Amino acid sequence: MKNLIQRAVLKQFESKVLPNKVLLLLGARRVGKTELIKKYLYNIRKEDYLHLNGEDIQDANLLKECSVANYKRLLTNIKLLVIDEAQNIQQIGLILKLIVDSIEGIKVIATGSSVFDLANTLGEPLVGRKNTIYLFPLAQIEFSFQENTKQTAENLEKRLLFGGYPELEQYEDWEEKKEYLFEIINAYLLKDILVFDGIKNSDKIFALLRLIAFQVGKEVSLQELGTQMNMSKNTVANYLDLLSKVFILFKIEGFSKNLRKEITKSSRWYFYDNGIRNAIINNFNRIENRTDIGDLWENYLASERIKKQNYQKTKTTNYFWRTYDQQELDWLEEKADSLAGFEFKWNERKKAKIPVAFTKAYPEATFEVINKQNYLDFII
């Protein structure tokens, strides 16, 4: 079933595979990057492309000799070079620069499950030579290609609990879905981090992820996290940065323009996928038995909104807003000169009003409560 779900980036992906350009496809492990490429390659003659894997030592060795002569030999009669998990290949940025600069008409696709190696080693060499597309776990935008509104409503609990990793779609049984997510966090989730910068022990990072999982949608104090984990504030900040660079977490900053009492120095962290969050805290209880349904709902809406903005190429900056006297908005979007505030409510009987201080400071801003009745307009 996973192969039947059309990915939102497919047309954009196809349009960005260009001569003498590198298309970077970035996203967490197991979100479907290789499947997307296979779908693209399906209509291309096998003799016209070369498909390498950066985790395969023999494949990586083919690129090791950094010379024009080597690459011209390797790519004789090849129109398209595809490199999966390219972050594992040393000096990949220089290698790709040499290839697209010296082989006329060559098209290159490189995938990566971490930003840090690709960004750090590709950034400078590939200035003006690359396009970047991000792929996330399946979004409701993509599920909506094949389900109607009734089915979407029926599947909401499943999405809140298990998230959107593509391979989950082949498992009907909820126990099998849980086992798959446990496999993801044990075998894949931190793979790139653990080979980076000499980090050998995953226990501390998992402990940090657990703490963040219990603080979704709340301001996170690096000092407090450091104290709880017996590590420095700077180490916590470094780990959080790494977790964002392998597409597990993303950060939302506080917004302030007008008021001294607005909180701006703290951040809130969300998971790109609800299923990963629930697997980390080992809680897949049904919705009616959850004490954290508000957190699940907020994380789901935040992550789906990020996917929508990315896939629809919306130039928006996201914030939360709060004052020291506890007036707050869950989500705030700044686009050009306009501001839009949102409050996320799972329980529709709980009324939400726009904070008075916010209205006074930003009278032109719009405000909307996002609940189960209207959330699809927010995320699709």
Side-chain angles (χ1 to χ4, degrees), residues 160-192:
L160 290 172
L161 295 182
F162 297 109
Y165 272 73
E167 286 172 274
L168 283 171
E169 295 305 298
Q170 65 189 312
Y171 301 117
E172 290 297 325
D173 183 76
W174 282 29
E175 286 301 317
E176 289 182 318
K177 290 181 185 291
K178 285 162 59 173
E179 289 308 311
Y180 175 78
L181 286 167
F182 289 138
E183 174 70 12
I184 286 277
I185 64 171
N186 289 323
Y188 297 106
L189 198 66
L190 303 180
K191 190 171 182 179
D192 294 311

Side-chain angles (χ1 to χ4, degrees), residues 28 31 135-139 159-165 181 184-185 189-190 193 204-218 220 225 229 239-240 242-252 267-284 290 292 294-308 318 331 344 379:
V31 297
L135 193 67
F136 304 99
L138 288 167
R159 308 267 153 80
L160 290 172
L161 295 182
F162 297 109
Y165 272 73
L181 286 167
I184 286 277
I185 64 171
L189 198 66
L190 303 180
I193 290 180
K204 287 285 188 184
I205 300 179
F206 269 120
L208 177 59
L209 277 172
R210 278 182 61 82
L211 290 174
I212 295 296
F214 287 117
Q215 296 184 49
V216 162
K218 301 174 182 67
V220 168
L225 289 174
M229 298 182 60
Y239 281 179
L240 287 172
L242 292 177
L243 288 164
S244 69
K245 286 176 175 174
V246 294
F247 307 101
I248 298 171
L249 300 175
F250 62 93
K251 177 170 66 170
I252 301 295
S267 305
R268 294 181 178 181
W269 290 85
Y270 296 92
F271 286 78
Y272 278 109
D273 187 78
N274 270 38
I276 295 298
R277 185 261 181 186
N278 290 330
I280 284 166
I281 62 173
N282 191 16
N283 185 352
F284 290 99
R290 307 279 304 216
D292 62 347
D295 296 341
L296 283 184
W297 183 237
E298 183 166 340
N299 194 90
Y300 177 71
L301 292 178
S303 61
E304 288 291 317
R305 186 69 167 183
I306 290 286
K307 296 174 195 175
K308 176 182 178 178
N318 304 303
W331 195 261
F344 302 149
I379 67 174

Side-chain angles (χ1 to χ4, degrees), residues 349-367:
R349 287 173 293 183
K350 288 188 176 179
K351 301 298 179 185
K353 293 181 180 178
I354 188 167
V356 174
F358 183 81
T359 305
K360 287 181 178 177
Y362 310 105
E364 302 302 316
T366 61
F367 173 72

Side-chain angles (χ1 to χ4, degrees), residues 223-361:
Q223 189 71 53
E224 193 176 304
L225 289 174
T227 301
Q228 286 179 270
M229 298 182 60
N230 195 26
M231 64 172 61
S232 73
K233 180 173 80 169
N234 289 342
T235 302
V236 171
N238 182 47
Y239 281 179
L240 287 172
D241 183 53
L242 292 177
L243 288 164
S244 69
K245 286 176 175 174
V246 294
F247 307 101
I248 298 171
L249 300 175
F250 62 93
K251 177 170 66 170
I252 301 295
E253 306 278 10
F255 178 84
S256 175
K257 287 286 175 71
N258 294 334
L259 302 178
R260 274 192 209 172
K261 59 184 180 180
E262 288 171 323
I263 291 173
T264 57
K265 290 183 179 178
S266 58
S267 305
R268 294 181 178 181
W269 290 85
Y270 296 92
F271 286 78
Y272 278 109
D273 187 78
N274 270 38
I276 295 298
R277 185 261 181 186
N278 290 330
I280 284 166
I281 62 173
N282 191 16
N283 185 352
F284 290 99
N285 290 338
R286 301 293 296 249
I287 293 300
E288 65 267 21
N289 299 322
R290 307 279 304 216
T291 57
D292 62 347
I293 182 58
D295 296 341
L296 283 184
W297 183 237
E298 183 166 340
N299 194 90
Y300 177 71
L301 292 178
S303 61
E304 288 291 317
R305 186 69 167 183
I306 290 286
K307 296 174 195 175
K308 176 182 178 178
Q309 291 170 351
N310 201 280
Y311 291 156
Q312 296 183 353
K313 296 295 178 188
T314 308
K315 300 295 182 188
T316 305
T317 308
N318 304 303
Y319 302 94
F320 70 91
W321 179 86
R322 191 164 79 83
T323 63
Y324 288 104
D325 57 0
Q326 306 301 313
Q327 295 192 59
E328 67 176 294
L329 283 174
D330 290 331
W331 195 261
L332 186 65
E333 295 181 356
E334 185 178 38
K335 192 189 304 182
D337 292 326
S338 67
L339 274 181
F342 301 93
E343 192 68 20
F344 302 149
K345 290 293 179 189
W346 173 258
N347 187 339
E348 295 158 59
R349 287 173 293 183
K350 288 188 176 179
K351 301 298 179 185
K353 293 181 180 178
I354 188 167
V356 174
F358 183 81
T359 305
K360 287 181 178 177

Side-chain angles (χ1 to χ4, degrees), residues 11 13 34 46 81 147 200 221 230 251 268 367:
K11 286 183 180 176
F13 179 89
T34 303
K46 284 194 174 181
L81 172 63
E147 64 185 20
K200 296 288 186 277
S221 162
N230 195 26
K251 177 170 66 170
R268 294 181 178 181
F367 173 72

